[in-house]
Amino acid sequence: MNPLVRFFRKKIYTAVFLLVFLLFIGVLGFKIMSNYSWVDSVYMTVITITTVGFGEVQPLDDNAKIFTIFLILTSVIILGYAITVITEYILSKNNFEELKQRKMQKKIDGFKDHIIICGYGRNGKQAAGKLLAYNKSFVVIEKDKERMEKFQSEMVPFVLGNANEDDILQQAGIERASTLISALPNDADNLFVVLSARQINSELNIISRASQETSYKKLKLAGANSVILPDRIGGDHMASLVVVPDLIEFIDNLSIVGKSNINIEEIPIEKLHTSSSIKTIRDLDLRKKTGCNIIGYKDDKGEYIVNPEADLEFTPKSKLIVLGRPEQIQKLNSLYDID
């Protein structure tokens, strides 16, 4: 629960209790002291508490007048307290929201080489979940305020606004970001975001979602490095479960989410190339040291080699794709101090 709401809820409950208690005392007092009916007692209590100035139901004796004076003075204090609590809550809520947003923006301003996610729908949430599992810094741009307030936390920082606007992208730190994921539901919006992002940061790695296959080439021309068609991937996956079900089930069990249960990992060669004597996969001998197998290699030009030969020589800025059980991957990470 919002700490501001929790703090003021007690005060509001207290004010409501005092008002109800005052109403009860007033009704009971007029009933006993002036022998009013219950309706007249309620009427007299309400006009006294609210000080509207209506006349009495019938003339009051001295005791009833003293009681009425006491009721008026007490109601002024209690009503004043209630109004103060409500006013303070409204003003403090605005200040609290502004303070929280400033704190969040300060955190975002400290990010570098982070990821920007545009849109927090189904695909945006999935992307954020995986980035959280890998402890990657990211910012979400979302124009729906209710959705932002529902999911915003210290772990998921938000920027409220339309990702199509340059100033919102800049607020998310696009000049310092390494990657932008445009996961908006509308292809036209994704296209506009890609164009704007590429214009602001030419080195940015841009990944965009697309609903229609006709949007693929347009997004590529606009500057997207990768374009994902979720519906197409889903259909291919379902068809593969019919054609090669055991193979797909095996691949689905290869976890790449969460440091505690990873089966497959991508590692820069600089993390493993610890001496001049290690020049090939055979020299590295990961199988003997960690139990992991090297199943892929990506060179500095972006070319992939599946199941590379043991005599393959490493080149700078290349990467290895390693497969193993979770405990073997953890042993590899510990041995080479990989985050």
Side-chain angles (χ1 to χ4, degrees), residues 93-235:
K93 184 179 181 182
N94 294 335
N95 292 337
F96 180 81
E97 291 297 331
E98 184 179 350
L99 183 64
K100 186 171 69 171
Q101 192 58 45
R102 285 182 182 177
K103 182 180 178 182
M104 188 65 69
Q105 188 60 49
K106 185 177 181 180
K107 180 180 180 179
I108 293 171
D109 291 341
F111 286 165
K112 187 177 181 181
D113 294 330
H114 59 289
I115 298 98
I116 298 173
I117 301 174
C118 300
Y120 205 62
R122 178 170 54 87
N123 296 125
K125 288 178 188 176
Q126 290 174 344
K130 183 163 289 188
L131 293 174
L132 279 173
Y134 274 83
N135 295 319
K136 296 290 185 180
S137 299
F138 66 92
V139 181
V140 177
I141 299 177
E142 175 58 55
K143 64 180 181 180
D144 188 331
K145 187 175 181 180
E146 289 185 3
R147 181 176 295 176
M148 185 197 78
E149 291 176 346
K150 182 178 180 181
F151 294 104
Q152 188 176 33
S153 67
E154 289 293 328
M155 302 298 293
V156 185
F158 277 81
V159 170
L160 179 63
N162 195 329
N164 292 339
E165 300 175 7
D166 289 355
D167 57 338
I168 296 297
L169 290 172
Q170 290 168 347
Q171 193 175 333
I174 192 170
E175 297 94 342
R176 307 182 307 277
S178 62
T179 304
L180 180 139
I181 299 173
S182 189
L184 301 174
N186 187 286
D187 286 357
D189 290 336
N190 285 319
L191 181 62
F192 200 91
V193 170
V194 171
L195 282 169
S196 300
R198 180 57 68 206
Q199 185 179 17
I200 297 172
N201 187 342
S202 60
E203 302 298 323
L204 192 67
N205 177 34
I206 301 177
I207 303 168
S208 177
R209 174 188 185 276
S211 300
Q212 305 295 327
E213 292 190 21
T214 53
S215 303
Y216 183 90
K217 289 185 179 179
K218 295 175 184 177
L219 286 163
K220 278 285 192 178
L221 288 171
N225 300 90
S226 303
V227 179
I228 308 300
L229 293 154
D231 294 338
R232 178 178 171 182
I233 293 173

